[in-house]
Amino acid sequence: MFYRFFIIIFLLFNLFFFTQFVSAQESEDLVRYSFSARFKVDFEGIKEVKIYTPNKTYTYKMKVIYQKPGFTYLEYLDGPVLKGKIVIDDGKKRLEYLPGSKVRLFPSLNSPLIRKRREGIFDIMLKNFDLSSPSESKFLARPVYKVSLFPKNFPDSPFLKLWIDKVTYLPLRQEKYNPQGKLCSSFEFIEAQFNKRIPLEKLYTSLPESPPEEKTFDFALQPVEKIQSKIDFPLALPEYLPSGYTIQGGILLKRWGRRAVKILYTNGLEVIVLFEIPRVEQIMMRHHRPIESGDLKMKVRENPFAKTLVWTKNGRTFILMGDLSLEELVKVASSIK
């Protein structure tokens, strides 16, 4: 009798454990697929992005076109500063154009080096966040999976809710909440057409003549030790990072006529960017204000997407950017010795 009871308990425990494991694996696979779903669909839609601040809600609308394999077109239809901006990614390079400025050239978001970076971010996210078991719902009259991401050990981290299309795995809606549970940003498609093919040449007509293939510094992430061997100024790294953040690596760039270093930190959902450059006498910053922390005198600019701090110390100019509280960014800046 006891033996039979023991067997039943053992089987129930294993069934529970296996079910939980399958659910966790299913959620992980869903979110992983959603990271690259845009490169595998034929789709046209209108996407609405909202950023919530204590005093105002900022709304951005954009036309979105995805064409497999790997083509993306974005056109900002409304929203401060970005209205009229066009982004075209053909799988080899990414063109960005804001009316009145030059066309800028970047690596494709579907290039091998950016895919590798995206996979690294996903791995960091899994270390920092638990994924809920997927539930089923509907959005835009389509069946979707709903998955939430909650911080594991960092109560001061944000959390995320995703609505993922069941057929294509394309994220159709996302909500990000701050650690206090208040909605801080969201996006959702308010119009969506799947399986729609579009002549791609028509999407280039609003762009000025594309720039030549410029030789740029390598956009691949490198260990900071390797970057240090390629520059003639010492890198200074922060001794303090917010909970869950870890360094991804650095990138060599050219800014203000000299070599610069861009260093990326992430917790899997958000990114902190640190630029280090040999001293630049004047960096133009519109709508900034001065702040001080100890002996550090900085300029700060705040916009709906991020905050930017700029300061000069020990013959170098630093630019720190992130979607964090100003207090946290100042703590990071002050820890850079």
Side-chain angles (χ1 to χ4, degrees):
M1 185 73 179
F2 176 77
Y3 179 75
R4 181 183 295 178
F5 175 77
F6 176 79
I7 293 296
I8 292 173
I9 294 298
F10 178 79
L11 290 174
L12 288 174
F13 173 80
N14 280 277
L15 178 62
F16 172 78
F17 177 81
F18 181 73
T19 303
Q20 293 297 104
F21 176 78
V22 170
S23 297
Q25 186 62 52
E26 185 179 10
S27 295
E28 180 180 325
D29 290 341
L30 283 172
V31 177
R32 188 184 296 275
Y33 296 152
S34 75
F35 267 43
S36 57
R38 74 176 81 171
F39 307 116
K40 303 172 184 177
V41 295
D42 293 326
F43 173 88
E44 180 177 0
I46 302 297
K47 187 176 185 179
E48 185 175 77
V49 178
K50 291 187 176 182
I51 300 174
Y52 306 91
T53 70
N55 301 319
K56 187 176 181 180
T57 297
Y58 296 87
T59 301
Y60 299 82
K61 288 184 181 179
M62 63 191 78
K63 183 176 184 178
V64 177
I65 296 174
Y66 301 134
Q67 301 283 269
K68 61 184 179 185
F71 183 92
T72 299
Y73 173 90
L74 303 177
E75 181 180 354
Y76 285 80
L77 306 175
D78 197 10
V81 181
L82 295 177
K83 184 177 181 179
K85 182 176 181 178
I86 292 174
V87 179
I88 296 181
D89 189 325
D90 64 4
K92 298 178 181 179
K93 60 183 179 300
R94 185 169 88 253
L95 304 176
E96 295 190 2
Y97 171 66
L98 188 63
S101 64
K102 295 181 179 179
V103 176
R104 302 176 68 193
L105 187 64
F106 300 93
S108 166
L109 294 181
N110 201 29
S111 63
L113 67 91
I114 302 298
R115 285 203 304 269
K116 183 177 180 181
R117 189 183 306 174
R118 194 160 52 239
E119 290 166 4
I121 292 175
F122 187 81
D123 291 339
I124 294 171
M125 184 192 74
L126 289 181
K127 290 180 181 178
N128 288 331
F129 294 86
D130 284 320
L131 280 66
S132 69
S133 298
S135 60
E136 297 187 10
S137 182
K138 282 201 169 183
F139 185 76
L140 292 176
R142 292 180 65 87
V144 296
Y145 294 109
K146 186 177 177 181
V147 180
S148 298
L149 289 78
F150 298 100
K152 289 183 178 179
N153 302 310
F154 311 113
D156 55 344
S157 293
F159 62 93
L160 203 67
K161 294 181 180 180
L162 290 168
W163 286 256
I164 300 172
D165 185 69
K166 287 186 70 172
V167 178
T168 65
Y169 302 107
L170 188 69
L172 297 180
R173 183 179 180 185
Q174 174 180 297
E175 294 178 349
K176 188 172 81 171
Y177 294 80
N178 67 19
Q180 291 72 44
K182 189 171 182 180
L183 185 64
C184 54
S185 67
S186 66
F187 78 71
E188 64 179 42
F189 282 98
I190 56 177
E191 296 179 19
Q193 298 181 64
F194 289 83
N195 301 315
K196 183 174 181 180
R197 294 296 294 179
I198 296 172
L200 301 184
E201 59 273 9
K202 292 184 178 181
L203 301 176
Y204 287 85
T205 56
S206 298
L207 286 173
E209 186 176 348
S210 298
E213 294 289 340
E214 302 173 358
K215 180 171 177 55
T216 61
F217 288 102
D218 190 356
F219 277 84
L221 285 173
Q222 303 176 52
V224 291
E225 296 82 5
K226 187 175 181 180
I227 289 181
Q228 182 64 81
S229 67
K230 298 179 180 180
I231 57 177
D232 57 3
F233 60 93
L235 287 174
L237 303 180
E239 296 178 0
Y240 168 81
L241 289 172
S243 300
Y245 277 85
T246 186
I247 189 169
Q248 280 189 278
I251 303 170
L252 276 174
L253 303 169
K254 192 171 184 179
R255 292 290 186 273
W256 297 280
R258 64 200 74 189
R259 278 199 167 188
V261 177
K262 177 181 180 181
I263 303 173
L264 302 176
Y265 302 86
T266 185
N267 64 359
L269 291 187
E270 299 170 312
V271 176
I272 297 174
V273 181
L274 174 65
F275 291 90
E276 296 190 32
I277 318 143
R279 185 184 182 97
V280 178
E281 292 301 326
Q282 187 66 30
I283 291 182
M284 298 299 296
M285 277 186 78
R286 301 173 65 183
H287 311 300
H288 72 270
R289 59 186 174 89
I291 63 171
E292 294 186 17
S293 176
D295 62 350
L296 211 57
K297 296 181 179 181
M298 298 173 281
K299 297 177 182 177
V300 59
R301 180 181 64 195
E302 302 182 58
N303 65 39
F305 294 101
K307 300 173 184 68
T308 302
L309 297 177
V310 178
W311 72 97
T312 297
K313 184 177 180 179
N314 297 332
R316 281 161 292 168
T317 296
F318 298 86
I319 304 173
L320 184 66
M321 305 171 67
D323 185 18
L324 299 170
S325 69
L326 183 57
E327 292 75 17
E328 281 289 271
L329 277 182
V330 169
K331 284 177 68 175
V332 174
S334 300
S335 75
I336 300 174
K337 307 300 182 183

